[in-house]
Amino acid sequence: MTVGRPAPPQSASQLIVACEGIDDQEFLRRMLDHLRISERRIDQYRGKAQLPTYLRGLRDSTDFETIRVVGVIRDGDDSPGGAWQSVRDLLQRLDLPCPTGPGTIGTGRCGVDGITRSIGVFIMPDNNSPGALEDLCLRAVADSASLTCVDEFLACVAARTNVTCRQQDVPKARLNAWLASRADPTLRLGQAVAARQLPPDSPAFDPIKDFLRALAVAASEPDTHTA
């Protein structure tokens, strides 16, 4: 993930999906397009350490009055339970509605202005397993014969050059090598979804698609935006 200052608030939108970095943002953009959910805004908060700054800035922005639904997407890394607890505690500190668990949406009045909003949290890859977006994408191509070649390639590089990546970066290395093996090796992750090289209809993507659909449904419900 690219880490830096969180992106400043953009134009107002009733539905905002907030994610860690540029690859997540492009993946979600293409998946939302696939689901034909067009009325949305996708922000990147540029690394989990910046999520508190991003959410506080969003809450205190002039745009917040028009926002009805916020979806927060975070990597589970090596502790999906800890990631969920961190986001839950942050929402509570900011006096924002909090869902009952990862993959769900909570609705309530916000302490800052008394307006009713819905906030959902999704912990990559599936709200239960350790990992990140790359792990989810690898599940979608788990039957690809190219993955065997990818693993042989990475093992060969490690054996011949003594160059290895950190264990937590292995899924990213595998996915990048797999993308490079496609007929068009220039495709980035989001582009691969749009080109259906990463099949958007794979059952592996069902949990994140269900979550995005639920956010869109919440944003389309009758207006309860009264203080």
Side-chain angles (χ1 to χ4, degrees), residues 107-154:
T107 300
R109 291 185 180 274
C110 297
V112 67
D113 56 14
I115 291 176
T116 298
R117 296 181 178 85
S118 296
I119 296 184
V121 177
F122 190 95
I123 304 298
M124 286 285 183
D126 61 6
N127 294 308
N128 294 296
S129 306
L133 172 61
E134 291 79 13
D135 296 271
L136 177 61
C137 292
L138 286 169
R139 293 180 187 181
V141 295
D143 294 334
S144 172
S146 299
L147 278 181
T148 300
C149 302
V150 163
D151 292 335
E152 291 173 352
F153 162 71
L154 293 175

Side-chain angles (χ1 to χ4, degrees), residues 1 20 48 75-79 124-125 130-136 138 154 164-176:
M1 305 295 176
E20 288 198 31
K48 55 183 174 288
D75 289 343
D77 297 324
D78 59 355
S79 177
M124 286 285 183
L133 172 61
E134 291 79 13
D135 296 271
L136 177 61
L138 286 169
L154 293 175
T164 58
C165 59
R166 298 177 303 169
Q167 187 60 37
Q168 61 264 40
D169 290 332
V170 169
K172 186 183 292 289
R174 295 182 75 218
L175 182 61
N176 285 339

Side-chain angles (χ1 to χ4, degrees), residues 50-69:
Q50 298 292 339
L51 180 57
T53 301
Y54 167 81
L55 281 179
R56 190 177 297 108
L58 181 65
R59 183 199 65 179
D60 297 340
S61 71
T62 56
D63 285 348
F64 199 53
E65 183 177 350
T66 68
I67 296 167
R68 299 188 58 196
V69 181

